């Protein structure tokens, strides 16, 4: 019998869905409503209008999460409340909408969709459910406009982080994206980088994989490349207070990545004189990880080693509700842990990062 | 254990055709019963991996590969795929086809009994009509 879960746990990755894109029309101008109806919203993915890989469940979501009133999984606040917030004892949940907007090739259209999604989150979801908070969805391929979007919502208590996706068109540490980090640091908001997106590049650096399973694994590699870029380009040196949360990226890879970064830094530091700290020191100061999808080694105690190596203050519980690879909070810590460690993981670290 | 089990009427066989399933609550336990080509099987409605509701899963077959490039699709309608992480279980035995953990969906015995044997007090839901000439599906749980 595993110990009881803390009450009112924090879920740092919940995905609200639109019933259809017309849900956003109250906050879109006639120009963009007509544009979307006529031309759609093309993303940086070749030759396809949707996801490059078919998901294993409809809408990449649990088949038991369809709202009784109809619509796709995650599109009903009432059902999300019942099935997830009440059902799983969630006292604080962060919305990360993966509604087509970020990475749309027409940058003005991307900005309009992001603005509409932020209104939709604030007015349809957060205003009606005190346990939820939102992420500012920004058109990250237009970093100046993304910074304006952050400033627009910075004083609105509905929002607790800035949302980027891991599949940006260029490595996320590069200078073109710095206005986003400057605006987030100025607003005191963490930047969450959620796996996925449409960069125009394959998920692998050596071409398009054949299987969805390849892509699922590849998200961790993409996130590693992004984290390496953010560290080496000096983003955490320029904005020492910036909080970065890697969402749905895996985390068991992080200790070995830090070992390799530090070893390489020792030999190549003259190439990167702007770095004053070891890479692992930036990471341990500025970076957090959400837990889902938790790896499942046969010996679950190996996970305890990873938690120890990363630090129990670095990991935030996330469920990914209603997506199919959902982690149940009651099943996620399957190895011995103290009450204090469990509290940090389920509540305390999220409080520290998001300040709720 | 056996002495604690009770017989629970699920449905009349006529109302429970092949390829369908029924979810029932037996003293707080959710149990899902499947009709696989006329034979009935029941599983605890809780995926042994992470607890997903098997009643909401897709009934499918078993895709196997003896060697790369060779595929066979067998046992159509006998495999339940969990609606969360897609783990697959044999409806007849509860055995998992994912080898990484020794998970097994808990099976319950199910059988068909003649209608007239059920009229005598085992009927728990009064709203189910008794049709003596029909057979009923019963689960021991």
């Amino acid at each position: 019998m595993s110990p009881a879960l803390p009450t009112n746990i924090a879920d740092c990755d919940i995905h609200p869905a639109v019933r259809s894109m017309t849900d956003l029309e109250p906050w879109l101008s006639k120009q963009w409503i007509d544009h979307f109806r006529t031309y759609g919203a093309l993303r940086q993915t070749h030759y396809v209008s949707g996801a490059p890989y078919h998901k294993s469940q409809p809408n990449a979501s649990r088949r038991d999460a369809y709202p009784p009133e109809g619509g796709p999984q995650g599109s009903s606040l009432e059902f999300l409340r019942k099935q997830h917030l009440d059902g799983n004892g969630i006292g604080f949940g962060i919305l990360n909408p993966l509604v087509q907007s970020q990475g749309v090739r027409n940058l003005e259209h991307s900005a309009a969709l992001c603005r509409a999604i932020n209104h939709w989150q604030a007015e349809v979801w957060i205003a009606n459910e005190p346990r939820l908070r939102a992420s500012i969805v920004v058109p990250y391929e237009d970093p100046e406009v993304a910074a304006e979007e952050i400033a627009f919502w910075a004083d609105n208590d509905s929002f607790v982080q800035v949302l980027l996706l891991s599949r940006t068109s260029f490595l996320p540490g590069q200078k073109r994206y710095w206005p986003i980090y400057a605006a987030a640091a100025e607003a005191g908001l963490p930047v969450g980088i959620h796996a996925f997106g449409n960069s125009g590049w394959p998920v692998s650096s050596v071409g398009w994989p054949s299987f969805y399973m390849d892509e699922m694994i590849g998200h961790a590699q993409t996130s590693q490349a992004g984290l390496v870029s953010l560290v080496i380009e000096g983003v955490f040196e320029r904005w020492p207070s910036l909080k970065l949360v890697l969402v749905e990226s895996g985390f068991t890879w992080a200790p070995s990545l830090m070992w390799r970064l530090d070893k390489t830094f020792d030999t190549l530091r003259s190439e990167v004189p702007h770095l004053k700290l070891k890479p692992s020191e930036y990471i341990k100061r500025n970076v957090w990880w959400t837990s889902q999808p938790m790896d499942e080694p046969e010996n679950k105690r190996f996970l305890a080693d990873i938690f120890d190596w990363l630090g129990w203050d670095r990991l935030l519980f996330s469920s990914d509700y209603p997506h199919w690879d959902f982690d149940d909070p009651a099943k996620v810590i399957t190895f011995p842990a103290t009450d204090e460690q469990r509290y940090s993981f389920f509540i305390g670290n999220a409080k520290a990062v998001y300040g709720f | 254990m056996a002495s604690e089990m009770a017989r629970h009427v699920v449905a009349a066989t006529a109302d429970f055709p092949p390829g369908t399933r029924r979810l029932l609550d037996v003293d707080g336990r959710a149990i899902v019963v499947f009709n696989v080509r006329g034979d009935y099987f029941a599983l605890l409605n809780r995926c042994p991996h992470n607890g997903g509701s098997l009643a909401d899963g897709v009934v499918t077959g078993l895709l196997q590969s003896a060697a790369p490039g060779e595929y066979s699709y067998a046992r159509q309608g006998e495999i339940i795929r969990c609606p969360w992480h897609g783990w697959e279980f044999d409806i007849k035995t509860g055995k998992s086809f994912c080898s990484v953990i020794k998970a097994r969906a808990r099976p319950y015995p199910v059988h068909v009994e003649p209608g007239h044997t059920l009229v005598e007090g085992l009927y728990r839901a009064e709203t189910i009509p008794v049709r003596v000439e029909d057979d009923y599906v019963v689960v021991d749980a």
Side-chain angles (χ1 to χ4, degrees):
Chain A
M1 186 73 188
S2 50
L5 281 173
T7 52
N8 290 324
I9 62 182
D11 181 353
C12 296
D13 190 26
I14 295 174
H15 296 294
V18 289
R19 290 168 297 182
S20 80
M21 289 296 276
T22 58
D23 281 357
L24 301 178
E25 291 185 355
W27 304 282
L28 287 167
S29 67
K30 184 165 189 326
Q31 174 200 354
W32 292 120
I33 293 171
D34 288 349
H35 182 95
F36 184 81
R37 288 179 180 179
T38 310
Y39 302 104
L42 296 178
R43 287 169 286 180
Q44 290 279 24
T45 298
H46 300 164
Y47 312 127
V48 296
S49 56
Y53 296 89
H54 286 276
K55 313 296 184 181
S56 67
Q57 306 279 14
N59 306 309
S61 294
R62 288 167 41 172
R63 287 175 186 267
D64 65 341
Y66 282 106
E69 68 267 37
Q73 306 96 320
S75 64
S76 158
L77 174 58
E78 190 182 342
F79 190 62
L80 178 137
R81 246 186 222 130
K82 177 171 182 283
Q83 186 175 45
H84 186 48
L85 301 183
D86 297 344
N88 291 317
I90 307 298
F92 175 80
I94 297 180
L95 300 183
N96 289 321
L98 301 182
V99 179
Q100 62 188 121
S101 54
Q102 301 184 297
V104 165
R105 278 184 249 167
N106 178 329
L107 293 179
E108 293 183 0
H109 193 195
S110 178
L113 288 166
C114 288
R115 175 64 58 90
I117 289 166
N118 292 329
H119 277 290
W120 170 75
Q121 290 187 88
E123 294 165 37
V124 174
W125 295 81
I126 311 303
N128 295 305
E129 178 46 67
R131 286 170 286 187
L132 295 176
R133 290 293 182 275
S135 301
I136 305 174
V137 175
V138 298
Y140 47 69
E141 300 301 358
D142 193 345
E144 298 288 350
V145 175
E148 291 169 15
E149 192 66 18
I150 294 167
F152 183 85
W153 297 103
D155 295 329
N156 186 315
D157 291 340
S158 298
F159 295 90
V160 293
Q161 79 176 346
V162 174
L163 182 67
L164 308 183
L165 300 180
S166 62
R167 304 277 297 278
T168 41
S169 286
F170 299 87
L171 284 164
Q174 291 181 351
K175 192 175 181 183
R176 68 177 61 239
Y177 295 112
W178 288 1
I180 297 172
Y181 310 123
E186 168 75 22
L189 290 169
V191 171
I193 302 186
H194 190 291
F196 313 150
N198 299 271
S199 62
W201 310 108
V203 68
S204 143
S205 64
V206 281
W208 289 96
S210 305
F211 298 101
Y212 176 44
M213 185 172 166
D214 284 319
E215 190 192 43
M216 289 290 287
I217 305 297
H219 295 309
Q221 294 148 17
T222 304
S223 298
Q224 290 166 41
L227 178 58
V228 167
S229 166
L230 286 156
V231 169
I232 295 180
E233 298 273 0
V235 168
F236 304 124
E237 183 60 40
R238 284 175 181 275
W239 294 283
S241 66
L242 184 68
K243 295 172 180 172
L244 176 76
V245 183
L246 294 178
V247 184
E248 202 170 345
S249 305
F251 61 87
T252 54
W253 45 261
S256 64
L257 181 72
M258 284 192 272
W259 297 332
R260 182 164 283 233
L261 273 167
D262 284 357
K263 174 187 163 68
T264 311
F265 179 65
D266 286 339
T267 55
L268 296 176
R269 66 170 68 202
S270 64
E271 189 195 17
V272 286
H274 53 279
L275 298 185
K276 306 302 181 199
L277 303 176
K278 289 198 293 186
S280 67
E281 291 174 322
Y282 290 115
I283 292 174
K284 291 195 168 189
R285 186 185 71 186
N286 293 83
V287 182
W288 286 260
W289 286 264
T290 64
S291 58
Q292 181 278 341
M294 189 83 117
D295 290 340
E296 296 177 2
E298 199 160 353
N299 182 344
K300 299 295 190 292
R301 286 170 190 263
F302 294 163
L303 289 173
D305 290 338
I306 301 281
F307 273 64
D308 286 341
W309 292 337
L310 274 181
W312 274 89
D313 61 333
R314 296 285 112 183
L315 290 153
L316 311 167
F317 169 72
S318 61
S319 76
D320 198 32
Y321 180 90
H323 288 166
W324 70 271
D325 42 351
F326 165 85
D327 274 353
D328 182 337
K331 297 274 193 162
V332 84
I333 298 289
T334 49
F335 48 86
T338 66
D339 286 347
E340 188 184 347
Q341 288 169 333
R342 294 162 58 82
Y343 177 83
S344 298
F345 173 70
F346 283 113
I347 300 173
N349 299 340
K351 271 185 193 282
V353 173
Y354 295 108
F356 64 91
Chain B
M1 184 68 193
S3 62
E4 294 172 8
M5 283 189 176
R7 296 152 82 212
H8 302 270
V9 176
V10 180
T13 53
D15 297 334
F16 193 169
T20 64
R21 69 193 84 174
R22 295 288 184 105
L23 178 62
L24 57 149
D25 183 314
V26 177
D27 302 329
R29 279 170 301 167
I31 291 177
V32 57
V33 185
F34 299 89
N35 181 338
V36 180
R37 289 190 287 275
D39 292 326
Y40 296 91
F41 304 94
L43 299 171
L44 184 66
N45 191 41
R46 198 174 158 71
C47 178
H49 170 233
N50 259 345
S53 161
L54 296 176
D56 293 292
V58 171
V59 172
T60 181
L62 192 59
L63 180 62
Q64 292 176 299
S65 176
E70 294 177 19
Y71 301 97
S72 63
Y73 194 72
R75 305 196 51 195
Q76 176 61 26
E78 299 178 20
I79 309 298
I80 180 72
R81 182 183 294 154
C82 179
W84 288 8
H85 304 94
W87 280 53
E88 293 179 343
F89 299 92
D90 186 335
I91 291 172
K92 296 182 174 180
T93 64
K95 284 185 182 169
S96 168
F97 289 97
C98 307
S99 59
V100 282
I101 61 171
K102 292 105 196 154
R104 180 179 160 129
R106 183 173 171 184
Y108 286 91
V110 185
H111 43 256
V112 177
E113 294 192 1
H116 62 83
T117 68
L118 298 173
V119 185
E120 301 162 12
L122 286 169
Y123 226 55
R124 295 170 56 138
E126 290 182 352
T127 52
I128 297 177
V130 180
R131 280 166 294 175
V132 187
E133 57 272 80
D134 289 339
D135 290 345
Y136 291 86
V137 181
V138 178
V139 60
D140 290 328

